[in-house]
Amino acid sequence: MSESDRYQLLLEVTDRVARTQSLPDALRELASPVLNLTGGELLNLSLYDPRRDCMLTHYWKKNRESGEFDAFPVDEVASGWAWKHQEPISIADTEREQRFPGFVPVLLNHGVRSYTVLPISTLSRRFGALGLGKSVPEALKGEDVEFLSRVALMGALALEREKAYHALEEQQSLVAISRELSSSLELEKLLPVILSSLRSIARYERTILCLLDEDGKNVHRYGDALEWEPFVNHGSTIPLEQSLSARAIRTRNVAFLTAADLHEMNEPLAKAMYEGGIRSVCSVPLIAGNHVWGALNPSNMIENAFGPPEIEYLQQAANQIAAALQNAHAYREIAQLKERLAQEKRYLEYEIRSANLSDDMVGNSPALKRVLDYAGIVADTDSTVLITGETGTGKERIARLIHSLSRRKDRNFIKLNCAAIPTGLLESELFGHEKGAFTGAVSQKLGRLELADKGTLLLDEVGEIPLELQPKLLRVLQDQEFERLGGTKTIRVDVRLIAATNRDLVRAVEEKEFRGDLFYRLHVFPLHLPALRERREDIPLFIRHFVEKCAARLHKHIDVIPDEAVEAMMHWSWPGNIRELENFIERSVILSEGNRLCAPLGELREEISRQLSDSDVTLRDREREHIIEILRQTRGVLSGPSGAAARLGLKRTTLQYKMQRLGISRTDYLN
């Protein structure tokens, strides 16, 4: 063939390669004229596969036959040698060739007696090799080698262009993913965006996103594969060690799963993937801010589907997803912190408005001094305190005093009145709730326990906590951890608990109205506040204190308190204790017109006279007489619908306990 014919064919090769996106497609059309020009029997294109470290070969023969050779390791085939050393290799007679014993029989089987291979490379990349075999044992002519080298160069340029085109596609997809991920900072809105971005990675069959929970022990799985719907898309949680991402997350490196790995895993999703034809999974950790957020798990139905170029692209996509997750997490933490600060601000404003604690500690009676001494002793510890006493005796004031004397005094003092909140809302107030936990829960709410973290929580009227809520409170006392209503995340707190009640909790435990185990957890350091009638010597001090306080608030000046008013108030029983006395003084100040206190003593005299006439009869005596009378009417029968316990509204065991305590025997009611 003339020189002009060679150049004409070379132009045709250049044109064909330039217009075709696939080099094998171009060579399929050009194989026949190239073989005719060189007198060859077989033309083959071998490309290096980095995933398996082998050469993948397409071939075309003079008789129009085409196909693929089996994959050969790089060092066991002539094309691999040319690719590795970047030098041509020529085999003058394949029957005498000893270097490639596994590959030479393949050539002989196709009638090739001599074989020449040229590397396909550019200055920046090595792609593979171009081989030409002849049916006679003779070396390829110099002009044919030159022509074949130009064809190899055209092929290298075509492959370079193809790589650049794919790189551009990848960069465009990464830019698109970045643009989508930057559209939201809220995790609930971000997850659908991430799943949409994963769908744009079209070269993979399916992708599963695994996100670590905050404890780092479990993963939540997300994806959009319909056949895997039962295992993903619902934030379903499984232990980390059972997940696809376990190795990648643990080592912080890319990990690969084969079909055998999926088959051996004792996990429903892995089994579904294996049965669905998945043969390789690439697990890429999501790392941002030196923190592993989870892993990206693309899969393919081809074995060893992920080579260095694919891994590089996936790592770039994973970096963007991890950065978006980190931003969403930071946004959530800031939002929660703002909400917490807002709630703390409201509590602090309430504290500021409250009267100064020291101003309300009035009295010097031995009973009060004993309480204050015990409060000072226990304040320096973190022990749970149970404050008991009648209503209005100042239980909250003592709780605040304990907090102010403790190491936690610079942190929050949070109060929750368990009797003032409906049962259905008490759990939410105490533990908080997640968005959507119940109708009306439009946003996340922090509970009083979280607000009291590192501080003190006062549970006032603790005896009113419903039985069904008591085990959860018991867990907080035991483990200092809980879950919000509607949530699964375990929250740890460091809270000093003070409980207060005017109920007889011992009796409530006996009547199964209060859990015994919770009572004993609360009863670490009991502190009983005496009623005002048990510290009558403090009443004059209270009168003076409340007169000054109310007069200042009502813009009055009162400096005379009649002795008869003080005497009357000293004899009053004050069933409402200090709170009742304060209200009575305020009413007296309002009624006073000059500088003399005008107390409505008529309210007290009638009750005082009744008390004086009955002073020899105690409440214990009256209770004992009433029980004896009922026992006489029932002829000593305790249980049953007509028994004494039913008539008294008590349980039989409680009645027996009272009879023993009051010294009631059979002779008292059966005579």
Side-chain angles (χ1 to χ4, degrees):
M1 184 175 287
S2 65
E3 190 71 18
S4 62
D5 291 336
R6 291 179 182 276
Y7 281 114
Q8 183 64 36
L9 181 56
L10 189 59
L11 288 174
E12 184 180 346
V13 169
T14 304
D15 179 67
R16 178 77 66 176
V17 170
R19 287 189 291 108
T20 307
Q21 291 187 354
S22 170
L23 182 60
D25 291 343
L27 290 179
R28 183 175 62 248
E29 301 297 327
L30 295 168
S32 183
V34 169
L35 292 173
N36 288 334
L37 173 67
T38 58
E41 174 66 25
L42 175 143
L43 180 70
N44 70 271
L45 170 67
S46 297
L47 297 176
Y48 174 68
D49 182 359
R51 290 166 288 194
R52 292 184 286 174
D53 192 30
C54 66
M55 305 302 292
L56 303 179
T57 303
H58 298 266
Y59 71 86
W60 302 272
K61 298 183 69 175
K62 194 171 185 178
N63 61 4
R64 300 287 183 178
E65 179 189 341
S66 63
E68 297 180 2
F69 291 159
D70 291 336
F72 278 89
V74 171
D75 295 330
E76 297 181 13
V77 65
S79 58
W81 191 96
W83 171 84
K84 185 175 183 179
H85 296 87
Q86 288 297 290
E87 293 180 7
I89 181 173
S90 179
I91 301 175
D93 189 347
T94 53
E95 289 186 353
R96 299 182 179 182
E97 177 60 45
Q98 303 294 323
R99 288 172 293 181
F100 312 108
F103 178 65
V104 166
V106 176
L107 294 176
L108 291 173
N109 188 48
H110 286 278
V112 174
R113 289 294 305 276
S114 60
Y115 188 53
T116 302
V117 186
L118 299 161
I120 298 178
S121 307
T122 63
L123 293 176
S124 59
R125 291 188 179 181
R126 299 183 296 174
F127 297 103
L130 185 67
L132 190 140
K134 301 183 69 173
S135 58
V136 293
E138 62 180 18
L140 198 64
K141 296 178 182 179
E143 58 268 25
D144 290 337
V145 173
E146 176 67 21
F147 172 77
L148 200 61
S149 67
R150 291 181 179 272
V151 174
L153 177 59
M154 292 298 104
L157 293 175
L159 292 171
E160 182 83 18
R161 181 191 63 193
E162 184 179 346
K163 290 289 184 182
Y165 177 76
H166 285 309
L168 178 61
E169 278 190 328
E170 289 178 351
Q171 290 302 317
Q172 289 175 340
S173 68
L174 289 173
V175 170
I177 291 173
S178 177
R179 184 169 56 249
E180 289 186 29
L181 294 179
S182 63
S183 65
S184 177
L185 286 174
E186 297 182 26
L187 187 60
E188 291 76 10
K189 296 180 180 179
L190 182 63
L191 284 174
V193 175
I194 292 177
L195 295 179
S196 174
S197 301
L198 297 182
R199 286 194 292 270
S200 67
I201 308 176
R203 70 182 69 184
Y204 311 115
E205 303 295 337
R206 294 285 186 269
T207 304
I208 298 296
L209 179 68
C210 292
L211 299 184
L212 269 177
D213 64 6
E214 292 194 11
D215 293 336
K217 298 178 181 179
N218 301 292
V219 295
H220 300 267
R221 299 177 299 187
Y222 304 90
D224 62 350
L226 294 179
E227 62 269 34
W228 300 341
E229 178 77 17
F231 316 109
V232 297
N233 271 347
H234 306 290
S236 54
T237 303
I238 64 168
L240 170 62
E241 294 305 319
Q242 297 180 16
S243 72
L244 301 170
S245 310
R247 197 187 322 157
I249 291 174
R250 190 172 58 251
T251 64
R252 296 191 168 206
N253 291 314
V254 177
F256 301 95
L257 296 174
T258 64
D261 295 328
L262 294 174
H263 184 63
E264 292 174 2
M265 289 180 68
N266 185 24
E267 204 278 313
L269 175 59
K271 184 177 296 185
M273 294 174 72
Y274 177 80
E275 293 174 353
I278 297 299
R279 292 298 173 261
S280 56
V281 178
C282 179
S283 189
V284 185
L286 303 173
I287 303 176
N290 198 33
H291 180 82
V292 181
W293 300 94
L296 187 65
N297 302 280
S299 58
N300 204 301
M301 292 186 176
I302 301 174
E303 293 183 358
N304 303 310
F306 301 93
E310 290 79 14
I311 295 172
E312 180 181 358
Y313 170 69
L314 288 171
Q315 285 180 320
Q316 293 183 58
N319 290 339
Q320 293 189 2
I321 293 172
L325 290 170
Q326 183 184 33
N327 292 337
H329 181 76
Y331 176 80
R332 172 178 282 184
E333 284 191 334
I334 291 172
Q336 290 177 347
L337 183 59
K338 287 176 64 178
E339 175 63 21
R340 179 166 185 164
L341 289 174
Q343 295 199 35
E344 288 185 355
K345 178 175 178 289
R346 290 193 290 270
Y347 278 109
L348 290 173
E349 288 174 346
Y350 169 78
E351 297 300 318
I352 292 172
R353 290 194 299 268
S354 299
N356 187 280
L357 180 64
S358 61
D359 292 340
D360 290 334
M361 284 298 156
V362 178
N364 54 20
S365 63
L368 177 63
K369 288 182 178 179
R370 184 167 57 253
V371 170
L372 295 179
D373 288 343
Y374 285 146
I377 292 171
V378 76
D380 197 41
T381 72
D382 282 336
S383 298
T384 302
V385 179
L386 177 62
I387 304 175
T388 59
E390 296 178 9
T391 181
T393 52
K395 295 186 288 295
E396 181 181 344
R397 299 297 179 184
I398 294 298
R400 290 180 184 275
L401 176 64
I402 293 172
H403 173 72
S404 69
L405 296 175
S406 72
R407 294 187 294 268
R408 300 170 180 260
K409 62 183 179 181
D410 296 327
R411 304 306 292 263
N412 282 346
F413 177 87
I414 304 298
K415 173 189 172 184
L416 177 63
N417 191 316
C418 303
I421 299 173
T423 302
L425 297 178
L426 185 57
E427 182 175 5
S428 172
E429 284 293 326
L430 186 57
F431 302 105
H433 64 249
E434 298 289 353
K435 180 180 179 181
F438 52 85
T439 303
V442 296
S443 63
Q444 184 189 73
K445 177 182 178 180
L446 301 183
R448 305 291 175 97
L449 275 165
E450 284 184 80
L451 290 173
D453 189 27
K454 304 295 189 300
T456 303
L457 175 65
L458 169 62
L459 291 182
D460 201 5
E461 304 297 346
V462 71
E464 305 302 323
I465 292 182
L467 275 171
E468 61 270 19
L469 200 56
Q470 292 178 21
K472 200 168 182 180
L473 177 59
L474 180 63
R475 180 189 173 193
V476 175
L477 292 174
Q478 290 175 334
D479 305 325
Q480 294 276 293
E481 62 183 29
F482 63 95
E483 289 89 30
R484 294 194 193 102
L485 186 62
T488 57
K489 171 189 169 185
T490 299
I491 300 170
R492 295 196 60 83
V493 289
D494 176 15
V495 174
R496 200 264 181 85
L497 183 67
I498 300 178
T501 183
N502 59 8
R503 288 189 64 184
D504 183 353
L505 291 187
V506 174
R507 177 176 175 179
V509 170
E510 293 172 353
E511 296 179 354
K512 308 300 182 183
E513 295 176 356
F514 200 84
R515 291 179 63 102
D517 48 5
L518 177 57
F519 169 73
Y520 291 116
R521 278 287 179 178
L522 294 174
H523 201 255
V524 176
F525 193 91
L527 199 59
H528 181 74
L529 297 189
L532 185 57
R533 61 182 173 274
E534 298 171 5
R535 42 184 290 213
R536 293 185 182 274
E537 60 268 46
D538 289 335
I539 291 179
L541 297 176
F542 275 115
I543 294 171
R544 171 56 61 184
H545 171 75
F546 289 140
V547 166
E548 292 176 354
K549 179 180 176 181
C550 294
R553 181 161 50 85
L554 296 172
H555 306 291
K556 292 192 175 187
H557 178 71
I558 297 177
D559 52 14
V560 177
I561 303 175
D563 291 341
E564 63 174 357
V566 175
E567 186 69 20
M569 284 185 270
M570 285 282 289
H571 285 89
W572 177 243
S573 61
W574 301 111
N577 292 292
I578 301 171
R579 186 181 297 116
E580 182 186 2
L581 175 59
E582 182 178 13
N583 293 338
F584 182 80
I585 295 296
E586 181 173 356
R587 188 159 63 253
S588 301
V589 172
I590 293 173
L591 295 173
S592 303
E593 296 183 354
N595 65 342
R596 183 183 179 87
L597 184 70
C598 181
L601 300 180
E603 298 178 10
L604 308 180
R605 289 194 178 102
E606 181 179 350
E607 181 62 23
I608 291 173
S609 62
R610 189 188 66 77
Q611 287 182 8
L612 291 175
S613 64
D614 295 341
S615 60
D616 58 333
V617 181
T618 65
L619 179 62
R620 176 188 176 93
D621 292 335
R622 290 187 176 183
E623 184 180 17
R624 186 175 188 276
E625 290 174 3
H626 181 60
I627 293 176
I628 290 174
E629 178 60 27
I630 297 299
L631 288 169
R632 285 173 179 164
Q633 295 175 13
T634 61
R635 298 182 179 277
V637 177
L638 301 184
S639 56
S642 301
R647 290 194 181 189
L648 291 167
L650 302 174
K651 292 188 176 182
R652 181 179 58 81
T653 54
T654 304
L655 177 57
Q656 289 174 328
Y657 169 76
K658 284 181 173 293
M659 290 170 62
Q660 183 179 3
R661 182 168 59 85
L662 296 171
I664 300 174
S665 63
R666 292 176 59 86
T667 58
D668 293 322
Y669 54 83
L670 292 181
N671 289 338

